[in-house]
């Protein structure tokens, strides 16, 4: 599975820590602490997912809010903030999220790694959820 990661300056430190833990991540930037705009990172990630170049995206800004709003503007993107462990499971099982989102200023790296692992080991349930997901893109 190809997983891409992107962050604004508020998520840069967390992105770098995650790359140490998951060395195969495809890094879409940003590449320094210099201030940048989270919609630009969300746009790059959405293109990567919608083209099939990546199967899953990880996005990070300060809170996770701005970058998830931005990513969810793109038809076909289902971005979910994994704010606790139960949500990490449900975001895959029920929502089949293709982008998972974290807050670089609100979450610890240990919590984030645990939630990524929960998400990855959970399977999408399909069934009634297929119908609901189809309605998202009308
Ligand atoms: C940047 O300062 C900050 O606004 C951004 O990272 C994010 O938290 C927005 O939702």
């Amino acid at each position: 599975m190809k997983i891409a990661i992107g962050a604004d300056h508020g998520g840069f430190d967390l992105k770098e820590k995650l790359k140490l833990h998951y060395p195969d991540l495809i890094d879409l930037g940003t590449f320094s602490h210099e201030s940048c705009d989270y919609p630009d990172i969300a746009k790059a990630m959405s293109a990567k997912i919608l083209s099939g170049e990546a199967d899953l995206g990880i996005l990070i800004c300060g809170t996770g809010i701005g970058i998830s709003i931005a990513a969810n503007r793109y038809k076909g993107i289902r971005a979910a903030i994994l704010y606790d462990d139960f949500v990490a499971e449900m975001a895959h099982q029920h929502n089949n999220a293709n982008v998972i989102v974290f807050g670089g200023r609100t979450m610890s790296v240990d919590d984030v790694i645990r939630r990524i692992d929960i998400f990855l080991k959970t399977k999408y349930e399909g069934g009634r959820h297929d119908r609901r997901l189809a309605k998202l893109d009308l």
Side-chain angles (χ1 to χ4, degrees):
M1 171 184 258
K2 286 169 289 176
I3 306 178
I5 189 165
D8 75 351
H9 54 289
F12 175 73
D13 286 337
L14 178 56
K15 174 169 74 69
E16 295 308 301
K17 288 175 189 162
L18 292 177
K19 281 165 56 185
L20 296 176
H21 193 80
Y22 306 101
D24 294 333
L25 292 174
I26 304 162
D27 191 350
L28 306 182
T30 189
F31 298 105
S32 77
H33 287 111
E34 193 178 329
S35 183
C36 65
D37 299 334
Y38 57 80
D40 296 335
I41 305 295
K43 182 178 185 180
M45 177 63 78
S46 301
K48 208 79 179 166
I49 298 291
L50 295 173
S51 68
E53 291 172 81
D55 305 299
L56 177 70
I58 299 172
L59 282 176
I60 313 165
C61 66
T63 58
I65 294 173
I67 210 159
S68 62
I69 292 171
N72 277 317
R73 296 289 177 101
Y74 295 90
K75 194 170 181 174
I77 295 297
R78 295 178 302 280
I81 304 179
L82 304 192
Y83 57 84
D84 70 21
D85 293 5
F86 176 68
V87 164
E89 192 180 343
M90 289 302 108
H92 204 164
Q93 191 175 312
H94 286 191
N95 308 110
N96 202 19
N98 51 14
V99 176
I100 55 176
V101 185
F102 301 100
R105 296 173 179 152
T106 59
M107 299 178 189
S108 73
V109 65
D110 288 345
D111 283 348
V112 170
I113 287 171
R114 193 178 62 255
R115 290 172 201 162
I116 291 171
D117 290 344
I118 290 170
F119 182 89
L120 291 175
K121 77 167 203 278
T122 302
K123 299 269 179 280
Y124 173 54
E125 206 170 72
R128 68 193 186 281
H129 301 293
D130 284 340
R131 184 182 69 243
R132 294 164 186 168
L133 297 193
K135 288 183 178 181
L136 295 175
D137 288 332
L138 292 179

